[in-house]
Amino acid sequence: MRRSDRLLEMITLLRDGQIHRADDLAAAFDVSVRTIYRDMDTLIASGIPVEGTRGSGYRAVNALTLAPLTLTAEEVEALQLGLAIVAEASDAGLKTAALSLSEKVDAALPTEAPSDRTGPLAVYPFSDAARGFSHMSTIRAAIRGKQKLRLSYRRPDDVWSFRTIRPLQIEHYGRIWSLTAWCELRNAFRVFRVDLIESADILPEFFVDEPGKSLQDFRPG
């Protein structure tokens, strides 16, 4: 498994709210405990809200409030996406301001958020988080309308695939945007990194929730 794929699967696993020991994660992903420690360092440096320490286990938390304002999940998405886009600007002043504001946003997150979420907007392998912005409205429209999507998807190793999916949920987590979907090619749930989607086209095919293929089945309870 490529490291970027392992990290994305690890985020999904950590989000169940349970404490996961490094030994168990190493066994689940067939890597060494030292590799798990490095992966956790990378996730935290990428802005993923992971809490825990070596020896105590890890879990992910989802912080969505900024004092003194209370923000919705979509408002946080807009804020972080905007910062990611501005940080790629050629204007040095704007880039510096975006990075500074990102640090202030991190510092203002609730106390239950990890204390070490400071740092640049994103580091490898999530440095291109803003690239998927052009597909956001299409994906959201397909989710609202329960219409299938045709994706062309380029993996980090430049392997292309073409998928017909049932889009179920688009999420902002840390500084990563991901799309949870039922993939008709694999006949299974898949989570796609939005920044790796090259094209997304709404198909004239509608879908309804079916047992085993709904978002509730992906995350029971």
Side-chain angles (χ1 to χ4, degrees), residues 74 134-151 163-170 179-182 197 199-209:
E74 288 192 347
S134 62
H135 305 306
M136 290 290 192
S137 60
T138 298
I139 295 171
R140 290 182 185 278
I143 292 173
R144 288 194 301 268
K146 288 189 175 294
Q147 286 183 263
K148 295 181 181 181
L149 281 174
R150 177 67 171 171
L151 300 183
R163 311 287 184 96
T164 296
I165 65 168
R166 299 180 179 200
L168 301 176
Q169 182 170 269
I170 189 168
L179 170 62
T180 302
W182 176 264
I197 295 174
S199 66
D201 299 301
I202 297 179
L203 300 177
E205 297 181 50
F206 295 88
F207 64 90
V208 296
D209 289 337

Side-chain angles (χ1 to χ4, degrees), residues 62 90 154-155:
N62 198 9
S90 57
R154 181 182 55 80
R155 299 188 328 206

Side-chain angles (χ1 to χ4, degrees), residues 98-148:
L99 293 172
S100 174
L101 180 56
S102 174
E103 292 179 355
K104 292 177 181 179
V105 169
D106 285 343
L109 286 168
T111 55
E112 62 266 21
S115 60
D116 52 356
R117 288 189 67 226
T118 58
L121 278 170
V123 298
Y124 174 86
F126 304 122
S127 58
D128 295 327
R131 273 182 33 202
F133 176 72
S134 62
H135 305 306
M136 290 290 192
S137 60
T138 298
I139 295 171
R140 290 182 185 278
I143 292 173
R144 288 194 301 268
K146 288 189 175 294
Q147 286 183 263
K148 295 181 181 181

Side-chain angles (χ1 to χ4, degrees), residues 5-73:
D5 291 338
R6 184 176 70 248
L7 289 173
L8 187 57
E9 288 194 20
M10 195 174 295
I11 292 170
T12 301
L13 178 63
L14 291 172
R15 293 182 64 188
D16 64 5
Q18 304 299 313
I19 299 294
H20 294 271
R21 298 187 308 116
D23 289 342
D24 295 333
L25 291 171
F29 291 99
D30 194 25
V31 296
S32 69
V33 172
R34 180 174 295 183
T35 295
I36 294 297
Y37 289 152
R38 287 198 298 266
D39 286 349
M40 290 301 166
D41 289 342
T42 297
L43 291 177
I44 292 170
S46 298
I48 306 303
V50 175
E51 66 178 13
T53 58
R54 299 183 181 189
S56 66
Y58 300 90
R59 73 181 181 97
V61 295
N62 198 9
L64 294 175
T65 58
L66 295 173
L69 299 176
T70 299
L71 305 180
T72 66

